[in-house]
Amino acid sequence: MRLARVTVFAGHFGSGKTSIAIAYALWAKQQEEHVLLCDLDIMNPYSKMADAADALAKAGIRVIASRFANTNVDAPAMPVEALAVFDDSDITGIIDLGGDNHGALALGRYADFLRNGGDYEMLLVLNQYRPLTRSFSDLYEIKNEIEIASKVGFTGLINNSNLAAETTLQDVIATADFAAKASEKLALPLKMTVLDERLIQSAEAKEMALLAMGELFPMTPYKNKL
Amino acid sequence: MAAKVLMKGNEAVAEGALLAGCRHYFGYPITPQTEIAAYMAKKMPKLGGTFLQAESEVAAINMVIGASAAGVRTMTSSSSPGFALKSEGLSYLAGCDLPAVVVNIQRGGPGLGGIQPSQADYFHATKSAGHGDFHMLVLAPNSVQEMLDFTFDAFDLADKYRVTVAILADGTLGQMMEPVDTTSKILGPPVDKSWALTGTEEKRKPNLVSSLYLMPEELEATVFERYERYKLIETEEQRYERYLTDDADIVVVAYGATSRIAQNAIDAVRKEGIKAGLLRLITLWPFPKKPLHELAQRASVFVAAELSMGQMAGDVELAIRCQKPVITCHRTGGVIITPEELLQKIREAASMQSPAA
């Protein structure tokens, strides 16, 4: 997979953007020195990035997040340091946007940096098991709303269809057709299919890569178990 | 493709209501329950229903009164400070004998408090939801699946007894994501609502929905009648789950998200040889007195685990008539009990056990 200077993960809320952004940042760090993971989620006051704080710190990835994340301050707040991602061309930036068009609004502030010849990818994260993104028309609506709000166009699609800890390989394979057709209808290349690391080692997973599912991308879930 | 979907607890509440035929939702955004309103806003128009963001929580509950009086299934939802604002309307709903479903995804209090999960509205939901003599039937889910299932069931219970049914959950359950089967609940036939204000078409006398009575004896009679129904609910609807309680010396009592922490803690202490079990409450009113009364005959110590300063613990003492000691394991203000903290409490309870007499 090509690593752009700036990669933005956007999509429906609860589609898995934060988890993918964390996994992607860890992967990017294996290739680039200065990786910066930026939580631009102005919608959700409960930042899940905290669950992976140890792993990110150990890998030497700098994390930028609202100073009010996981406090009782329930107001949209953008971290001022986020500008570094766009301003400093030595940095490989991974951006986690908030859900839907409301969350995508935050990116509009930096749209010019990306549109003016910036090397970027903006990837639409899809989980077909989320109740409000089960049809092409749902997906089409969300894609358009996010592009209008962020003033940035998508460059690819990510299939992150999963049922959390209950996900089986079959559950993911069952979404391959939808993802492939969505890719065609939205005119966005399917960049990758995300698989929980506990599933990716199997022989079946390797066969899956042949099913035109894009590249398989491993993900380590960071979760509080209740 | 798997039959399940991956949902947030708040979305599951909204979906449960839609499956139950609720087509009139009135609400106002507040963290951590906003996804209920957001989901309704997306889906209601497609189903030909009404999603209305009211000008305030007070307005929303009064719209519920109006919709329910017109005989339709209706719901509102909020979180602690917003839910408290609905108190006046909750009392009017009871006084009018109107079925309704209300949802409180609790956060830390009192006052504006915070946005982290809490169970500190137990008193409000079970004892003092508004002025006057009345109860709400209170259900406490502990998984995203139950957020859907209980909300669905709440509409049936509300219609059956003509009462308000409250879903009392916390921010953890509202925000957490789990796979949910949305096909398990099937809508039954419509319930007779011949009391509703649906227009007489000049074929019958007008119905009246009101909580105002001119003579005190008349008002008293309606309250007496309502309490007969409450007595029936107390007999018929006490709901709970027992986990490893048959041989338990220590019984942990918990509900909602806390009951999941309790289950993990009990599994851990069992490995240390401590005979602990869990009584997980599903209805908070009616309070499950029956199983507690039974368990008090055998168990030595009760541990009330909750995210409040011990609001439920008093009901446990009452239910077992103070026959056995009740100690509490509690955090509040948006802080969650860790399994380790509860483990400590269970060990403490075990050390309190008197030698078998």
Side-chain angles (χ1 to χ4, degrees):
Chain A
M1 195 155 10
R2 189 186 79 91
L3 178 59
R5 198 184 77 69
V6 178
T7 306
V8 182
F9 295 95
H12 180 43
F13 88 87
S15 58
K17 297 177 295 298
T18 305
S19 304
I20 294 174
I22 292 164
Y24 202 79
L26 289 165
W27 174 76
K29 182 66 182 155
Q30 293 166 15
Q31 304 157 61
E32 294 294 335
E33 184 160 5
H34 301 293
V35 175
L36 205 155
L37 175 60
C38 180
D39 179 356
L40 261 193
D41 188 343
I42 56 168
M43 293 300 293
N44 189 349
Y46 309 102
S47 173
K48 276 180 289 184
M49 233 171 244
D51 294 336
D54 288 347
L56 290 166
K58 210 173 131 198
I61 293 167
R62 191 174 151 209
V63 178
I64 289 177
S66 162
R67 52 198 277 241
F68 303 119
N70 294 326
T71 71
N72 281 331
V73 179
D74 188 11
M78 285 164 66
V80 65
E81 305 94 319
L83 194 60
V85 177
F86 305 95
D87 209 32
D88 183 347
S89 58
D90 289 338
I91 282 174
T92 300
I94 315 293
I95 295 179
D96 176 27
L97 269 190
D100 296 348
N101 49 330
H102 309 292
L105 204 61
L107 190 66
R109 157 74 181 83
Y110 312 103
D112 285 345
F113 288 92
L114 299 178
R115 290 189 306 188
N116 294 340
D119 173 24
Y120 80 95
E121 294 273 4
M122 182 154 102
L123 304 172
L124 178 63
V125 180
L126 157 73
N127 179 356
Q128 206 199 347
Y129 292 105
R130 292 283 292 138
L132 297 183
T133 49
R134 290 174 77 76
S135 71
F136 297 123
S137 58
D138 292 339
L139 212 53
Y140 190 72
E141 196 179 306
I142 276 189
K143 172 189 176 275
N144 279 351
E145 285 174 355
I146 290 174
E147 288 182 333
I148 290 167
S150 67
K151 301 186 278 181
V152 182
F154 280 105
T155 61
L157 181 69
I158 294 179
N159 183 10
N160 183 42
S161 297
N162 75 89
L163 287 164
E166 283 185 23
T167 317
T168 65
L169 207 53
Q170 279 62 41
D171 292 333
V172 183
I173 291 171
T175 65
D177 190 46
F178 180 79
K181 286 198 178 118
S183 161
E184 200 182 305
K185 286 187 190 246
L186 301 177
L188 293 174
L190 179 61
K191 295 277 181 178
M192 59 193 196
T193 295
V194 178
L195 261 191
D196 188 309
E197 60 173 359
R198 80 190 150 79
L199 299 173
I200 208 160
Q201 301 302 340
S202 71
E204 275 173 296
K206 290 186 178 83
E207 279 174 34
M208 222 172 100
L210 303 172
L211 284 171
M213 297 195 70
E215 201 164 318
L216 294 185
F217 191 79
M219 168 132 81
T220 311
Y222 295 95
K223 281 222 165 103
N224 281 322
K225 197 161 183 280
L226 194 66
Chain B
M1 188 153 171
K4 288 186 174 181
V5 291
L6 186 64
M7 288 184 135
K8 268 198 171 192
N10 285 332
E11 295 173 320
V13 165
E15 187 60 37
L18 294 174
L19 290 170
C22 172
R23 292 294 178 272
H24 298 83
Y25 170 89
F26 309 95
Y28 190 83
I30 179 172
T31 307
Q33 69 84 48
T34 301
E35 292 87 357
I36 300 176
Y39 195 88
M40 290 295 196
K42 277 263 183 197
K43 287 200 89 169
M44 273 298 192
K46 291 175 184 165
L47 296 168
T50 303
F51 162 82
L52 201 151
Q53 182 171 321
E55 69 269 34
S56 71
E57 288 86 348
V58 180
I61 189 75
N62 279 283
M63 290 170 185
V64 166
I65 295 173
S68 178
V72 298
R73 287 191 155 181
T74 179
M75 181 174 100
T76 186
S77 62
S78 192
S79 176
S80 306
F83 196 79
L85 282 168
K86 297 182 189 292
S87 287
E88 181 193 54
L90 294 173
S91 176
Y92 277 69
L93 277 168
C96 297
D97 294 311
L98 289 172
V101 174
V102 296
V103 182
N104 182 358
I105 308 295
Q106 301 164 90
R107 54 188 255 179
L112 199 51
I115 60 171
Q116 305 298 334
S118 164
Q119 295 180 319
D121 299 349
Y122 177 91
F123 280 162
H124 183 263
T126 62
K127 301 184 195 307
S128 60
H131 64 281
D133 284 312
F134 80 96
H135 283 293
M136 298 193 295
L137 204 160
V138 183
L139 299 173
N142 81 350
S143 67
V144 178
Q145 182 71 54
E146 285 189 355
M147 293 285 260
L148 183 144
D149 292 345
F150 288 11
T151 307
F152 183 96
D153 296 341
F155 282 93
D156 286 342
L157 288 165
D159 281 346
K160 181 176 179 188
Y161 295 108
R162 282 182 70 177
V163 294
T164 297
V165 180
I167 302 292
L168 191 70
D170 59 75
T172 312
L173 286 163
Q175 294 298 320
M176 70 196 290
M177 291 177 83
E178 288 177 336
V180 174
D181 179 359
T182 58
T183 61
S184 58
K185 293 290 182 183
I186 309 294
L187 188 59
V191 180
D192 171 58
K193 292 189 177 178
S194 51
W195 48 264
L197 311 183
T198 52
T200 65
E201 295 176 358
E202 295 184 1
K203 285 175 189 155
R204 60 165 170 81
K205 285 189 175 167
N207 288 334
L208 176 67
V209 171
S210 168
S211 62
L212 174 67
Y213 295 89
L214 299 183
M215 300 304 292
E217 291 76 12
E218 208 187 341
L219 173 56
E220 186 190 46
T222 69
V223 177
F224 281 169
E225 184 280 323
R226 201 168 295 127
Y227 269 70
E228 286 302 314
R229 251 181 298 144
Y230 291 161
K231 206 185 280 177
L232 184 64
I233 294 173
E234 287 205 80
T235 317
E236 300 289 321
E237 305 294 349
Q238 292 183 31
R239 299 183 187 188
Y240 50 88
E241 275 175 2
R242 295 162 67 135
Y243 179 68
L244 305 180
T245 54
D246 287 350
D247 65 342
D249 300 321
I250 316 294
V251 173
V252 179
V253 185
Y255 65 95
T258 313
S259 65
R260 294 168 64 143
I261 299 165
Q263 194 164 333
N264 288 340
I266 284 160
D267 288 342
V269 292
R270 279 269 167 182
K271 286 179 191 141
E272 298 173 13
I274 298 174
K275 285 182 183 168
L278 168 68
L279 180 71
R280 179 234 159 169
L281 311 181
I282 292 175
T283 52
L284 301 181
W285 193 89
F287 194 75
K289 291 177 189 165
K290 278 187 266 187
L292 276 164
H293 198 72
E294 279 169 40
L295 289 167
Q297 309 314 309
R298 192 190 184 286
S300 321
V301 184
F302 287 80
V303 180
E306 53 186 319
L307 305 181
S308 79
M309 293 304 289
Q311 295 185 19
M312 172 198 65
D315 279 343
V316 177
E317 285 185 318
L318 272 177
I320 64 169
R321 303 189 179 213
C322 298
Q323 293 176 81
K324 299 287 164 67
V326 178
I327 62 171
T328 66
C329 179
H330 62 269
R331 298 299 300 263
T332 195
V335 184
I336 298 178
I337 298 170
T338 63
E340 194 49 44
E341 281 170 324
L342 188 49
L343 275 175
Q344 275 306 115
K345 279 286 172 183
I346 297 171
R347 289 187 194 120
E348 190 186 316
S351 71
M352 285 167 66
Q353 270 179 260
S354 50

